Amino acid sequence: MLIPILIFDVALVAWSLHLMQSALERQEFSLMLAGTLVGASAAAMLVVYFIINSCLGRLV
């Protein structure tokens, strides 16, 4: 289950970097904010996965 989540996270981070690069080229704050939020959601998804994995490991 970890491999699909990691692939999805890498895709989110790549999209985030693309948004931030576009923001720098166009001088738009909204794209920079969107890139930051996408990157934060990728990090949060990994954190939630490891917390849930740890909790379920203790229950079983």
Side-chain angles (χ1 to χ4, degrees), residues 7-29:
I7 291 171
F8 189 67
D9 269 350
V10 168
L12 281 176
V13 170
W15 185 35
S16 171
L17 292 175
H18 176 72
L19 285 172
M20 289 185 184
Q21 184 179 11
S22 296
L24 287 176
E25 291 171 358
R26 298 178 188 174
Q27 298 290 325
E28 288 190 31
F29 177 72

